[in-house]
Amino acid sequence: EAGVAQSPRYKIIEKRQSVAFWCNPISGHATLYWYQQILGQGPKLLIQFQNNGVVDDSQLPKDRFSAERLKGVDSTLKIQPAKLEDSAVYLCAIELAGAIDTQYFGPGTRLTVL
Amino acid sequence: SQQGEEDPQALSIQEGENATMNCSYKTSINNLQWYRQNSGRGLVHLILIRSNEREKHSGRLRVTLDTSKKSSSLLITASRAADTASYFCAATSGSARQLTFGSGTQLTVLP
């Protein structure tokens, strides 16, 4: 988790509400990923950024999810409106320039949709 | 879709025993990695093995890769209570560096 901060750590909302998550790497890293991890499953990639640009968002439900990367550093992931099935942990990960293929994860944001 | 599938889904052992977890995958890979996740925390990278490697060691960890069987195993020797966690295999394939995770093995080490 060193080097990747996420906020908030926990969020409880009602369905149809909106929510945003933040990922703050302590220093600039070219590649940033957002994953969704449903309870009892492995993480599933939502979107991959390279600097400010999107490399792959094929698994992002674009009708309700959006993400952006600010100045190639911080990133936000938004859900609008949320559904019950969006309850999960949302993980941000970065890739170090000197160690590609190895990802460093933040602690995640646990979202509960009621 | 998930590239890797771990086996068993859950494993409970006594402290000091060895723990073995297996991972099978579907397509050709560039490398295969193992991650650990403690309850309520993010994932921590443990070890990476490339497709042209067959075995790798790191401390109490030993990873093997059999590309002909599309499988990998993670061995944790002399387990400790602190090893209690979920363990995931993840593979990269093709030109993408994206990780495709399995569903994980929940390891419980009893003191």
Side-chain angles (χ1 to χ4, degrees):
Chain A
E1 297 175 2
V4 185
Q6 288 189 249
S7 61
R9 291 295 312 276
Y10 305 92
K11 189 72 176 180
I12 301 174
I13 62 173
E14 298 198 347
K15 60 183 179 183
R16 290 188 289 273
Q17 286 187 321
S18 301
V19 65
F21 314 125
W22 285 268
C23 176
N24 311 104
I26 58 170
S27 59
H29 299 282
T31 309
L32 185 146
Y33 305 83
W34 281 100
Y35 291 87
Q36 180 193 58
Q37 185 178 21
I38 293 172
L39 185 65
Q41 299 182 16
K44 183 187 84 171
L45 179 70
L46 292 175
I47 189 167
Q48 176 187 359
F49 289 97
Q50 180 78 19
N51 298 314
N52 287 342
V54 175
V55 174
D56 186 349
D57 62 357
S58 58
Q59 298 188 77
L60 189 73
K62 299 180 191 62
D63 57 333
R64 298 185 301 106
F65 285 64
S66 64
E68 62 177 356
R69 183 132 188 241
L70 307 173
K71 299 180 181 177
V73 181
D74 299 344
S75 180
T76 58
L77 177 69
K78 297 178 181 177
I79 308 175
Q80 180 179 11
K83 293 184 176 181
L84 296 176
E85 57 261 36
D86 297 332
S87 293
V89 176
Y90 290 85
L91 296 161
C92 177
I94 58 172
E95 201 173 75
L96 299 179
I100 60 172
D101 290 338
T102 299
Q103 295 183 20
Y104 294 86
F105 286 79
T109 296
R110 181 177 296 278
L111 173 67
T112 301
V113 182
L114 302 175
Chain B
S1 63
Q2 293 189 311
Q3 171 72 293
E5 291 298 330
E6 287 89 343
D7 169 58
Q9 288 188 331
L11 179 62
S12 184
I13 59 174
Q14 294 292 135
E15 204 164 25
E17 294 181 337
N18 296 340
T20 299
M21 288 160 270
N22 303 298
C23 169
S24 59
Y25 57 91
K26 298 173 184 175
T27 64
S28 297
I29 61 171
N30 297 331
N31 63 62
L32 189 136
Q33 306 177 36
W34 286 88
Y35 286 78
R36 183 187 73 221
Q37 185 177 37
N38 290 86
S39 180
R41 307 291 295 272
L43 285 80
V44 175
H45 180 261
L46 295 176
I47 194 165
L48 180 154
I49 186 165
R50 302 202 180 277
S51 59
N52 60 353
E53 298 176 311
R54 292 296 167 259
E55 188 172 311
K56 205 161 184 180
H57 297 254
S58 176
R60 294 185 295 113
L61 305 180
R62 173 178 170 253
V63 170
T64 62
L65 180 65
D66 187 334
T67 53
S68 66
K69 296 181 179 178
K70 291 186 170 59
S71 67
S72 173
S73 67
L74 172 67
L75 169 68
I76 303 174
T77 60
S79 64
R80 306 166 181 168
D83 294 329
T84 294
S86 292
Y87 291 81
F88 295 90
C89 67
T92 64
S93 57
S95 58
R97 298 199 305 276
Q98 300 161 4
L99 293 173
T100 305
F101 285 85
S103 53
T105 293
Q106 172 60 50
L107 173 66
T108 302
V109 181
L110 303 170

